[in-house]
Amino acid sequence: MPFVKTWIVPGTEHLVYLRQQPLEVFSRYIQQGMDSKEAGGILLGHVRGEHLEIIEATEPSFWDKRFRFLFERMPYFHHRLAMKRWKESNGLVRYIGEWHTHPQNYPSPSSIDLKEWQILAADRVDGRPLLALIVGCKDIHVEYMSGAGKRNILEPASFRRGEESVFLN
Ligand SMILES: [Zn+2]
């Protein structure tokens, strides 16, 4: 079952669009078997006005610690890659947020997830909220977390004709 590509912030017209690369990475790490481990990485993308386009999800690195119910990210590799993309794109591609998997069909964040996201959001130099994403077996959970701890859970958006052009120029 393919994941929803386009998400909307409720009560607004703000869209988050997932390109093919992140969707493929998520599919590779879905936690299906009993011995599967949590995986995760960072999300890189473009800010397009009020919209966000996620173009790349980094994959777990050799240094990350993967367990069934915990993914501990070793930030060095991921942040080095974020800097590289930022430079290559003259500042167009930037760090947007984080993703990890859960062994749940319809994933929801743990209290540890929420705490970590808030710390990461407060650390962002551009002052934007963090996009936090959890990949479950049948669905993904997408939310914005602000540095002050304000959550905004996104909803699937039906992709109307015309909206797509926002992301294709
Ligand atoms: Zn989690």
Side-chain angles (χ1 to χ4, degrees):
M1 193 200 73
F3 291 128
V4 175
K5 292 200 274 216
T6 314
W7 295 78
I8 190 159
V9 181
T12 73
E13 300 278 294
H14 303 186
L15 298 172
V16 171
Y17 177 70
L18 298 161
R19 279 275 181 107
Q20 201 56 36
Q21 192 274 1
L23 292 169
E24 279 170 16
V25 169
F26 300 159
S27 320
R28 271 206 288 283
Y29 290 97
I30 291 172
Q31 278 190 268
Q32 269 152 345
M34 276 310 286
D35 56 351
S36 67
K37 295 184 171 81
E38 286 203 5
I42 61 173
L43 301 168
L44 301 167
H46 295 296
V47 177
R48 294 181 179 270
E50 297 167 328
H51 310 297
L52 209 55
E53 179 183 16
I54 308 303
I55 60 169
E56 183 174 354
T58 65
E59 298 190 50
S61 76
F62 174 78
W63 295 277
D64 295 319
K65 296 189 179 120
R66 296 179 62 192
F67 306 97
R68 179 155 170 78
F69 294 104
L70 179 73
F71 175 72
E72 198 182 322
R73 197 168 50 79
M74 299 291 121
Y76 175 72
F77 163 82
H78 298 275
H79 286 174
R80 208 180 51 171
L81 189 73
M83 276 311 288
K84 187 165 175 274
R85 293 287 189 269
W86 166 269
K87 283 184 190 145
E88 282 168 357
S89 69
N90 288 319
L92 265 177
V93 176
R94 68 170 86 177
Y95 172 86
I96 297 293
E98 303 275 324
W99 74 275
H100 70 279
T101 60
H102 271 190
Q104 298 171 306
N105 283 343
Y106 300 93
S108 62
S110 67
S111 54
I112 295 172
D113 289 333
L114 294 174
K115 233 175 266 169
E116 276 193 357
W117 291 343
Q118 191 186 340
I119 291 167
L120 291 164
D123 272 353
R124 284 195 67 170
V125 277
D126 61 8
R128 298 179 62 89
L130 178 90
L131 189 78
L133 196 148
I134 303 176
V135 178
C137 301
K138 294 198 167 147
D139 201 6
I140 53 182
H141 171 93
V142 189
E143 73 173 84
Y144 275 119
M145 171 66 83
S146 82
K150 188 177 165 285
R151 300 175 64 193
N152 215 338
I153 297 169
L154 276 70
E155 289 168 356
S158 56
F159 221 155
R160 295 191 296 266
R161 259 189 105 69
E163 283 171 355
E164 202 160 354
S165 62
V166 172
F167 299 104
L168 296 180
N169 53 26

